[in-house]
Amino acid sequence: MAQQVTEELRQKDAVAADLATGPESAPRRTADRAPPDAGLHRIVIVGGGAAGLELATKLGDTLGRRGEASVTLVERARSHLWKPLLHEVAAGSMDVDEHDLDYLAQAHWHHFRYRLGEMVGLDRGRKEVILAPTFDEEGREITPRRSFGYDTLVVAIGSVVNDFGTPGVQEHAIALDQTQQAARFNRRLVNACIRAHAQEGPVRPGQLDVAIIGAGATGTELAAELHRTTRAVVAYGLDRVDPEKDIHITLIEAADRILPGLPPRISGAAHGLLTNLGVQVRTGARVSAVQADGVRLADGGFIPSELVVWAAGVKGPDVLRDLDLELSRSNQLVVLPTLQTTRDPDVFAIGDCAWCPREGHPAPVPPRAQAAHQQASHMIRQIRRKLRGRPLEPFVYKDFGSLVSFGEYSAVGNLMASWRGRA
Ligand SMILES: Cc1cc2nc3c(=O)[nH]c(=O)nc-3n(C[C@H](O)[C@H](O)[C@H](O)COP(=O)(O)OP(=O)(O)OC[C@H]3O[C@@H](n4cnc5c(N)ncnc54)[C@H](O)[C@@H]3O)c2cc1C
């Protein structure tokens, strides 16, 4: 027992000491002492989202805790909020501070290292991940440009929205890729309501209207959530704004139905629910440009709207282009069924940034939280096999269905439909 406690203390000391220094490698930055786990297999995970955080935590709890490997998570943010909750942040129904998870604390309790920084490149010859320097609000450097050596690298940096080059999206629309963007949208929405309440004249057409472009799960859930929260904001004394008359929410989808990735009966149920709430649903509507005052459609139509959310499709982050690894058309890392990238067996990719083939299906594994979770679980077993010199196994994605939440209103979904043999 005493030996176990001593070992746990030694491990915690090692983790704490390493939070301050770390196994950075030459020449960009050299640690001034050998890391406590020198000689161990170095597993570096880049990106601590749905896939990477679960992987780092479970590897830390097993290999890290037992001193069988060193586990490092490189992440550009300081805390994690599960991405499927971002529409609630945007709508104002969730307080980020109450639900986010601090990486430093998580690393400490789960026996892995957390290193703050954004991956900007990869030196595959030297097996090093290169990180950009980080700065505080005053512009003072916190960490320099540095690199981390790895024996096994897992890239899990998620995705960014794909605007397909549509003019005006960057300038006038907000995407929900990161917590800051979701919070920024919410501030804009609340400020717009306060401004409308305080102004002399009546509310202009489109002034408080919200257009959501893309009716996948994100856009559809956001439409319902916004319907509720805008009414709540106004109810707190902004009595010169009449939500029924002044606030219109339009959900715009290029496909012929909303939730095009789900079975038609789910789309139909969700469409009916939104329409009953008063959300305007425009299907078969292709957006040609986003302007400061609204959304221009390819058929010449115009939807006045000063608040626009772009939620139509995702692609791999730009940095993936600089890694000299095979990319899909949507800029994701192409992986083998073993989740290894096609050009480098020591570099794996999981989650949204991976283009993973799916046997018997024309489309790859979808960019969804359940895929990220399943790939993280598979990766844990693969890393153990790799360390023991055993052959790797293929990843098989199981679709457990989807649940589209309409917050307090309702939910629709096909949970476990495939398991029951219904699609
Ligand atoms: C609003 C919204 C609602 C959603 N709802 C659902 C849903 O209901 N069901 C569902 O299945 N899926 C949903 N999704 C999709 C789901 O969130 C993603 O599929 C899932 O988060 C992917 O996990 P990931 O680990 O690949 O990426 P993420 O969870 O996005 O994590 C990526 C991490 O990498 C970090 N990172 C990025 N670039 C770098 C870099 N260069 N260096 C270091 N760190 C980096 C990021 O900060 C982030 O922490 C939703 C997505 C959104 C945006």
Side-chain angles (χ1 to χ4, degrees):
M1 180 65 182
Q3 201 180 359
Q4 188 191 341
V5 171
T6 312
E7 174 58 13
E8 279 185 9
L9 286 174
R10 191 195 68 75
Q11 294 252 359
K12 280 192 181 136
D13 278 355
V15 172
D18 217 56
L19 288 173
T21 55
E24 289 96 325
S25 51
R28 295 165 186 95
R29 177 81 171 188
T30 313
D32 56 3
R33 62 175 177 77
D37 49 12
L40 291 181
H41 187 94
R42 296 163 303 169
I43 302 163
V44 174
I45 301 154
V46 184
L53 183 60
E54 177 174 345
L55 180 62
T57 302
K58 290 195 175 155
L59 285 178
D61 281 341
T62 51
L63 302 179
R65 189 176 61 80
R66 296 197 293 260
E68 291 175 17
S70 102
V71 182
T72 300
L73 174 67
V74 168
E75 166 58 55
R76 65 181 177 191
R78 289 163 189 266
S79 63
H80 164 78
L81 183 75
W82 199 52
K83 216 172 169 183
L85 297 175
L86 287 185
H87 72 278
E88 293 187 33
V89 177
S93 43
M94 171 170 293
D95 181 351
V96 177
D97 294 336
E98 280 180 18
H99 292 88
D100 66 345
L101 188 147
D102 187 272
Y103 285 114
L104 263 182
Q106 180 79 356
H108 178 69
W109 295 114
H110 294 274
H111 313 279
F112 65 88
R113 294 191 186 88
Y114 156 61
R115 294 291 175 264
L116 173 69
E118 178 164 358
M119 175 175 77
V120 287
L122 191 58
D123 185 337
R124 290 201 288 116
R126 298 171 65 107
K127 286 184 175 274
E128 286 179 359
V129 180
I130 302 160
L131 268 59
T134 60
F135 300 91
D136 65 16
E137 290 86 4
E138 285 85 40
R140 280 176 306 180
E141 187 176 273
I142 304 169
T143 55
R145 184 178 169 91
R146 54 190 176 153
S147 63
F148 290 90
Y150 64 84
D151 297 304
T152 296
L153 175 67
V154 184
V155 183
I157 59 173
S159 57
V160 293
V161 298
N162 193 349
D163 66 13
F164 305 101
T166 311
V169 175
Q170 298 291 333
E171 299 87 337
H172 305 299
I174 291 189
L176 301 185
D177 276 337
Q178 296 176 35
T179 312
Q180 300 93 300
Q181 292 166 323
R184 186 157 67 92
F185 175 81
N186 184 254
R187 279 196 302 278
R188 237 192 228 189
L189 176 73
V190 174
N191 287 344
C193 290
I194 296 172
R195 193 177 297 121
H197 173 77
Q199 73 195 22
E200 295 266 314
V203 174
R204 295 186 305 278
Q207 185 180 349
L208 290 179
D209 293 353
V210 183
I212 302 165
I213 302 166
T218 304
T220 304
E221 290 182 337
L222 179 63
E225 197 70 14
L226 276 178
H227 178 271
R228 188 179 68 77
T229 54
T230 45
R231 274 145 186 80
V233 169
V234 170
Y236 276 88
L238 303 182
D239 45 23
R240 290 187 57 212
V241 177
D242 176 356
E244 300 308 324
K245 196 161 64 69
D246 298 327
I247 304 178
H248 304 106
I249 298 168
T250 308
L251 182 61
I252 305 167
E253 170 57 50
D256 61 0
R257 59 187 174 93
I258 65 167
L259 299 170
L262 296 181
R265 67 186 170 85
I266 308 289
S267 301
H271 193 134
L273 210 143
L274 289 177
T275 309
N276 286 345
L277 289 178
V279 173
Q280 291 161 28
V281 181
R282 302 281 302 263
T283 51
R286 200 167 287 281
V287 172
S288 60
V290 180
Q291 303 171 188
D293 57 349
V295 176
R296 178 77 53 200
L297 299 179
D299 66 4
F302 184 72
I303 299 171
S305 173
E306 294 188 18
L307 293 152
V308 180
V309 177
W310 184 271
V314 296
K315 62 176 182 172
D318 287 349
V319 66
L320 297 179
R321 277 198 218 116
D322 303 329
L323 309 188
D324 188 28
L325 292 166
E326 189 186 350
L327 293 174
S328 71
R329 281 175 55 197
S330 50
N331 205 48
Q332 294 156 298
L333 293 177
V334 178
V335 295
L336 302 169
T338 54
L339 304 178
Q340 289 163 299
T341 51
T342 50
R343 291 189 197 150
D344 192 330
D346 291 326
V347 179
F348 296 74
I350 59 174
D352 283 9
C353 71
W355 191 95
C356 180
R358 208 177 153 197
E359 210 184 309
H361 290 261
V365 173
R368 286 159 68 176
Q370 59 170 311
H373 158 67
Q374 288 177 34
Q375 290 182 334
S377 302
H378 184 77
M379 202 59 236
I380 293 158
R381 293 192 295 276
Q382 297 318 295
I383 288 186
R384 286 201 208 112
R385 292 180 76 86
K386 188 170 186 254
L387 291 185
R388 289 178 193 135
R390 293 166 68 182
L392 301 187
E393 293 170 329
F395 168 73
V396 180
Y397 174 65
K398 295 184 194 70
D399 188 348
F400 290 112
S402 300
L403 187 71
V404 182
S405 160
F406 292 93
E408 288 182 4
Y409 295 126
S410 184
V412 296
N414 61 335
L415 280 185
M416 306 298 285
S418 52
W419 173 68
R420 286 198 237 117
R422 292 195 288 123

